Amino acid sequence: MLMEELPPEAALNGPPRDADHLLQRTLGTVRDERHQAVRRRGRVTALTSTFVVAGVLAGGVWLGQGLGIGGTDDVAGTLQGTSADGAHLAVRVTDTEGGLRLVATVDGMQDGEACWLVVHTKDGRTFTAGSWRAHDGEVTLAGSAMVRAGDVAGVSVVNHDHQPLVTAN
């Protein structure tokens, strides 16, 4: 066999001088590509998890509002009345799981008068739902009573002597 038939690399004694550098560069490139893939997967996982959590929370809020979680409120109606002295009373009655919720708007009471909002039932019982000291102008107050809306005969504003000032039926 002749020397001319062999490629020039065969005449080298050992690996090329920059072979170690080439190996390190190749391994470094492989490591960098792997780290980039891991980071990319981590970002995608974090983003997906964020969207899933946001979707679950939004769905829970939407369902909670639609299903009335926390109490089933049923507006039973509005009662209105006017006294001979010109006082006005309008009461929105809402039936809840724990009883009755009232939102009353009162106007025309004498300034400084001590007033109580009283619920009257069909069987003659009374429940005090709120109190305040009247002033010039309209007053809106919320109250509650341990009675079902179907049992309400009327709502009155009474004074200190329990005399009705205005009644709404």
Side-chain angles (χ1 to χ4, degrees), residues 102-163:
L102 308 166
V103 177
T105 303
V106 184
D107 189 22
M109 296 289 117
Q110 184 178 355
D111 191 29
E113 181 85 46
C115 301
W116 283 266
L117 187 65
V118 178
V119 178
H120 304 281
T121 63
K122 293 176 181 174
D123 62 1
R125 295 178 295 155
T126 60
F127 296 89
T128 301
S131 63
W132 74 101
R133 183 151 313 267
H135 57 78
D136 287 336
E138 186 177 275
V139 175
T140 300
L141 70 141
S144 60
M146 294 293 296
V147 63
R148 303 307 283 163
D151 295 334
V152 174
V155 178
S156 296
V157 174
V158 299
N159 63 9
H160 184 69
D161 297 322
H162 301 288
Q163 298 299 316

Side-chain angles (χ1 to χ4, degrees), residues 32-147:
D32 288 343
E33 289 175 357
R34 180 179 170 153
H35 288 300
Q36 287 175 0
V38 168
R39 279 190 299 243
R40 193 175 319 121
R41 250 191 326 265
R43 282 188 226 128
V44 169
T45 302
L47 187 63
T48 303
S49 299
T50 302
F51 281 125
V52 167
V53 168
V56 167
L57 288 175
V61 168
W62 180 72
L63 284 175
Q65 289 175 348
L67 297 176
I69 293 174
T72 57
D73 294 350
D74 183 25
V75 176
T78 302
L79 306 174
Q80 295 184 354
T82 303
S83 72
D85 297 331
H88 302 286
L89 172 63
V91 183
R92 188 182 72 199
V93 179
T94 306
D95 204 8
T96 64
E97 289 179 10
L100 185 71
R101 186 180 318 150
L102 308 166
V103 177
T105 303
V106 184
D107 189 22
M109 296 289 117
Q110 184 178 355
D111 191 29
E113 181 85 46
C115 301
W116 283 266
L117 187 65
V118 178
V119 178
H120 304 281
T121 63
K122 293 176 181 174
D123 62 1
R125 295 178 295 155
T126 60
F127 296 89
T128 301
S131 63
W132 74 101
R133 183 151 313 267
H135 57 78
D136 287 336
E138 186 177 275
V139 175
T140 300
L141 70 141
S144 60
M146 294 293 296
V147 63

